[in-house]
Amino acid sequence: MINIFLSPSIAFASVSFFLGELGDGLNIFQGIYLVNIGWNESAIGIALSLMGFTALLCQTFAGDVIDKTRMDRRLILNASAILTACSAMAVLFVREGNQDHMLMFVTKVAEGIASSFIGPCLAALTLANFGPKEFDKQMASNALWGHIGSAVSAILAGSAAYLFYPNIKYCFFVVGFSALCAVMFVKYLPEGDPLMGRGFHSSTNKERIGSLAKNNGSDESVSSLNKSRESPEAASYLSVLSEPKTLILCMTGFFFHFANANVLLVLGELMSNSDGNNNNNNNNNN
């Protein structure tokens, strides 16, 4: 019944919204929470940076896996969302005091690996369903709803932390709820054309095959075109990395995130320390 009301555009917007709520696993709230239970700044910095560093290393290879896989990309998207949420919620099992470092370190690495598959999966499914002509428009819509989801996630987590203070750990259930909703809507995403999702524009090949058949093209021409469609060859890493525009885009994105990635984390730690220092000063005055 829901399929009647969920067009592909609405389905992609819904999935993007809830995946946006997953975001970075509410890293800034995790930093504040870990400070409050006794972690020092260096341990927090290592733990929260591991996710981004791991994702940076895995993103390219994750995209390559998604490009070459014969699995249903929707299954990979579901698995990535669930693993990302579970890894983010592992902070609930950290005991008070400056301990359980390895739990956070390992789960942050797992979160970075899982989250690196989400973007490529969503992009491949978008291309497979909308084709190259509508791809930019739909990806812009996906990004918009992803940012809205991130904002809503921060508002919900902040509200939960305020309502349940000092037990702010309950705000992390927002991540789990977002993952469940994302999984629920992923099943309404059409699989699309797998070859189109790889950027091979297979619909164009179909038209060429039909044109050859109508014009009484030779069987060899039609069979060779069919063969090229069945086993297309992707560009090599060397050809991609040697493209100047690609290099400029990659370096720009790298330095942009390198410059601002930890600003919110540092701000969260400063806020927590400021609150703790004020409480200590008040106790000393008393």
Side-chain angles (χ1 to χ4, degrees):
M1 180 64 70
I2 300 180
N3 282 330
I4 300 176
F5 303 100
L6 277 181
S7 65
S9 297
I10 296 176
F12 274 96
S14 302
V15 171
S16 299
F17 174 81
F18 289 112
L19 290 178
E21 285 195 329
L22 277 180
D24 58 359
L26 298 176
N27 259 356
I28 183 172
F29 290 93
Q30 289 186 4
I32 295 173
Y33 174 71
L34 292 173
V35 167
N36 287 336
I37 64 175
W39 274 44
N40 58 50
E41 288 81 358
S42 60
I44 294 173
I46 294 173
L48 300 187
S49 298
L50 276 174
M51 175 188 170
F53 184 70
T54 304
L56 175 67
L57 295 178
C58 296
Q59 188 81 61
T60 301
F61 301 102
D64 191 50
V65 169
I66 296 302
D67 186 59
K68 294 177 179 178
T69 185
R70 294 183 179 274
M71 291 180 59
D72 189 338
R73 295 183 178 100
R74 295 171 296 183
L75 297 178
I76 301 176
L77 187 58
N78 278 337
S80 300
I82 292 173
L83 184 55
T84 299
C86 291
S87 301
M89 293 180 68
V91 69
L92 296 172
F93 299 98
V94 176
R95 294 168 293 179
E96 289 194 12
N98 194 24
Q99 54 184 332
D100 294 329
H101 290 177
M102 285 308 299
L103 172 63
M104 284 299 297
F105 294 165
V106 171
T107 54
K108 279 299 173 185
V109 170
E111 187 178 350
I113 295 173
S115 63
S116 65
F117 283 86
I118 292 177
C121 270
L122 195 59
L125 286 168
T126 302
L127 182 58
N129 281 279
F130 294 93
K133 292 183 178 180
E134 296 293 325
F135 177 73
D136 291 344
K137 178 181 178 181
Q138 186 58 41
M139 282 300 293
S141 174
N142 293 349
L144 171 64
W145 284 105
H147 287 304
I148 293 174
S150 297
V152 172
S153 176
I155 293 171
L156 290 176
S159 300
Y162 177 80
L163 292 174
F164 295 106
Y165 185 84
N167 296 316
I168 64 172
K169 62 183 181 181
Y170 294 112
C171 73
F172 300 118
F173 285 102
V174 172
V175 177
F177 175 76
S178 301
L180 291 177
C181 292
V183 169
M184 182 179 70
F185 280 96
V186 163
K187 66 180 180 180
Y188 297 109
L189 295 179
E191 184 179 6
D193 186 335
L195 284 181
M196 184 77 77
R198 296 189 64 186
F200 288 118
H201 306 175
S202 58
S203 61
T204 303
N205 281 348
K206 289 179 183 177
E207 293 173 1
R208 291 174 62 192
I209 292 172
S211 177
L212 281 173
K214 288 180 180 179
N215 295 327
N216 296 321
S218 66
D219 293 338
E220 292 181 0
S221 300
V222 175
S223 62
S224 63
L225 191 55
N226 270 316
K227 185 176 179 180
S228 67
R229 183 179 183 273
E230 292 172 0
S231 56
E233 293 184 4
S236 64
Y237 276 107
L238 181 61
S239 62
V240 173
L241 294 177
S242 60
E243 172 62 38
K245 294 180 180 179
T246 302
L247 284 176
I248 294 173
L249 178 63
C250 291
M251 295 304 295
T252 302
F254 173 81
F255 284 113
F256 171 79
H257 289 290
F258 186 80
N260 74 354
N262 292 318
V263 172
L264 287 177
L265 302 181
V266 174
L267 177 61
E269 290 182 22
L270 290 174
M271 292 170 62
S272 298
N273 285 335
S274 175
D275 183 61
N277 291 335
N278 289 336
N279 290 334
N280 291 334
N281 291 334
N282 291 334
N283 291 333
N284 292 333
N285 293 333
N286 293 335

